[in-house]
Amino acid sequence: MTVHIGAAKGEIAETVLMPGDPYRAKWAAETFLSDAVLVNEVRGMLGYTGTWNGHRVTIQGSGMGMPSLSIYANELIRDYGAKTLIRIGSCGGMQEKVKVRDVILAMTATTVHSPSSSIFREVNFAPCADWGLLQAAAKAAATRDVATHVGGIYSSDVFYDERPDLNEQMVRHGILGVEMEAAELYTLAARYGCRALAVLTVSDHLQTGEALPSDQRERSFGDMVEIALEAAFR
Ligand code: HPA
């Protein structure tokens, strides 16, 4: 048991999938895991442990934004011994070629600021995905009927953005999509020698204004969960 996770030691698997939304953790655990057991409900941030193809997996909500994810990822790694952490979440598309429903595998995560920024002082640390996981996820995605993009994303601190010029610079520099968690996850994984990846579904598009209708979300999010699970155990 930690400050924010009520699970007993041993109840968290070495492989953890982290959706932002705790109810998506519940849905993914009930849909994709066998024998899923609720292991955390502190603050309603649901976490489940079960098995997928015989492998133990935990699916733990991270909450929205890097400060929230940082709390859960720190405790999962430092107190429960998590070794592989894969964010599964939504993002906003930033390039014309990136369409709503597509999947993005985040090779790098650019950020203005993260909970870890202060330790780097004048250095701009480059948070990047684990290469083995990224490669495995690209292979898993290639077998599915879902358009997949591999490249840089932008981890923003804000959803309601008062600095649209930042998004413009990201678009100009080929950034595929915007979300709010991956940069801190990649930084923590680097610090503690873990593997991390963000597998994202494009839920809305910054240029076109298109958004995924709620009745179509489940199917696209399913591809993302399966890609993450296959990548973790490939
Ligand atoms: N901005 C930030 N995070 C997001 C977005 C967005 O447009 N869409 C989904 N997550």
Side-chain angles (χ1 to χ4, degrees), residues 139-226:
K139 282 187 186 150
T143 66
R144 319 186 70 81
D145 186 23
V146 59
T148 304
H149 310 267
V150 182
I153 62 158
Y154 170 43
S155 296
S156 175
D157 262 347
V158 284
F159 188 90
Y160 298 105
D161 200 350
E162 299 288 338
R163 285 281 310 272
D165 58 311
L166 291 177
N167 284 344
E168 279 167 31
Q169 293 307 334
M170 294 299 108
V171 172
R172 242 183 107 208
H173 289 82
I175 291 296
L176 299 172
V178 54
E179 50 84 84
M180 301 179 67
E181 292 82 16
E184 177 68 2
L185 180 65
Y186 288 4
T187 304
L188 289 171
R191 192 178 311 155
Y192 293 110
C194 297
R195 306 193 303 163
L197 176 67
V199 181
L200 306 167
T201 300
V202 180
S203 61
D204 51 88
H205 204 288
L206 268 64
Q207 272 95 8
T208 65
E210 197 191 348
L212 198 55
S214 51
D215 61 336
Q216 287 181 32
R217 283 181 176 238
E218 213 159 89
R219 174 70 229 289
S220 334
F221 290 152
D223 280 322
M224 166 177 79
V225 179
E226 286 179 334

Side-chain angles (χ1 to χ4, degrees), residues 91-103:
C91 71
M94 291 188 121
Q95 301 292 330
E96 216 173 289
K97 67 178 180 189
V98 173
K99 311 288 185 205
V100 164
R101 275 183 285 277
D102 288 1
V103 164

